[in-house]
Amino acid sequence: MKGSGDDTSGERRTDAMVGDDRPEPSVALTEHVKTLELRLRKRDEERRAMLHIMGDLNEVNKRLGNQRKAMIHILGDYESERSRLAQKRERLDNSRRALLHILQDSHRSNLSLADSRKAMIHIMGDLRDTTAEIQRREQELRDKQEQLVQAGKLATLGELTTGVAHELNNPLNNIGLFVGNAVDLVELGVEAKDRIVRELRNAMQQVRKATEIISHLRTFGRVASVSREPVAIDQVIERALSLMQEQLRLRDIEVELDLSATQAVVSGNAIQLEQVFINLLTNARDAMADSPRKIVRISTRVADHTVDLVFSDTGPGIPEGLEQRIFDPFFTTKEVGRGTGLGLSITYGIIKDHGGGITVANRPGEGAMFHIQLPRAPADLRAPAAV
């Protein structure tokens, strides 16, 4: 009986093989499926890692309130140190005048050489101490300014969290779609290797896109060095727009670029200049919230020794009489809670540190226009570094 059962089972297997003309999957294809499943699990792990990163970004956004309080304390220390520095300078001027009076009195009154020499040595010692104190205070002021710039950068990153989340979600969804297509092709026994490879290559392209977004955020968020190197302005503008494009798109804001045919290269810090452009784009975005026509125009022009940039918008413009005050720290025309008042102040400081200038003008019926002028890099240094 047992033998008869085995024969019957064998006949069924034979009939099944005759009824199904499709060949069994090869060992290589099975291994390929296992490799694809392994890659899929790896992509799932990367996706979970991305979700953790998004959680970290939201946590940074929560800490933004504490950062703003810290900025207020930093600026208070900044103003206090500046006042002390002014007093030290006044003391230095008084000492210099006293030295001049002593020399004059010594000549007129025939004071003894010994007394005059002692007075001069005392004053010179005071001058040395005061000069050293001024240098130390100036270094402290520079350090506090760098802290303000970094805090403003973190505030900007917090505002960009929503747009960046959307930008990361798109490639993650695409990765799942492309890998899923490849798995379906393998499971269905389709031997079209080119189609499977194409789907996997598309998935890898989306992985690179997500990696570039995260790398850009890490670069922008790190503390900028004080070094100066050749920087291509057009590339910095494009990187700033890549971070802001989702926010501009959600608000139906168009961007018109009119970049110079001549390569605009300045000697500066690419991260700091990118922060300048993001601040101006953010300012234009908020200004055009209620405008029927929302357009941001960016143009660059290259002269013999300067690079000129113009950022204009179609908002209501700057209220009359406030053109000079908008660059003051903590001054803002926005509603309470919608701005720190530091964006344009930090922008002004960065441009000044680069040896340039920034002005604002109102265009009747066409919004505000910011004009930036930066020194052009010397001819032998116009090969821009990688941004």
Side-chain angles (χ1 to χ4, degrees), residues 229-300:
E229 58 187 7
V231 177
I233 289 295
D234 294 355
Q235 294 180 14
V236 180
I237 291 175
E238 290 172 358
R239 288 175 64 82
L241 286 172
S242 71
L243 277 182
M244 291 291 299
Q245 63 182 358
E246 186 62 23
Q247 291 202 23
L248 299 178
R249 185 188 67 80
L250 292 174
R251 292 166 176 79
D252 296 324
I253 298 175
E254 299 179 23
V255 178
E256 296 181 357
L257 293 177
D258 180 18
L259 305 181
S260 172
T262 304
Q263 191 176 34
V265 179
V266 302
S267 180
N269 185 286
I271 298 177
Q272 289 183 347
L273 291 175
E274 183 177 353
Q275 185 176 2
V276 167
F277 301 152
I278 288 178
N279 286 346
L280 293 177
L281 288 170
T282 302
N283 191 70
R285 177 203 67 189
D286 296 341
M288 295 187 294
D290 300 322
S291 298
R293 194 167 57 104
K294 301 178 181 181
I295 301 175
V296 175
R297 296 184 179 90
I298 305 174
S299 64
T300 60

Side-chain angles (χ1 to χ4, degrees), residues 114-154:
D115 292 339
S116 296
R117 185 177 297 169
K118 290 178 182 179
M120 290 176 63
I121 291 173
H122 177 74
I123 291 174
M124 292 302 296
D126 193 16
L127 286 174
R128 283 193 299 270
D129 294 342
T130 303
T131 301
E133 180 67 14
I134 288 175
Q135 291 175 346
R136 187 179 68 83
R137 296 292 183 182
E138 287 177 344
Q139 183 59 45
E140 290 180 357
L141 287 175
R142 283 193 292 269
D143 293 341
K144 284 181 170 51
Q145 184 180 15
E146 290 177 4
Q147 293 175 21
L148 277 175
V149 170
Q150 185 64 17
K153 192 185 301 180
L154 293 176

Side-chain angles (χ1 to χ4, degrees), residues 88-105:
K88 292 292 183 180
R89 285 177 176 166
E90 183 179 0
R91 180 181 175 186
L92 179 61
D93 291 338
N94 292 336
S95 298
R96 287 172 178 167
R97 286 193 292 270
L99 177 60
L100 181 60
H101 286 307
I102 288 175
L103 291 174
Q104 292 174 347
D105 293 343

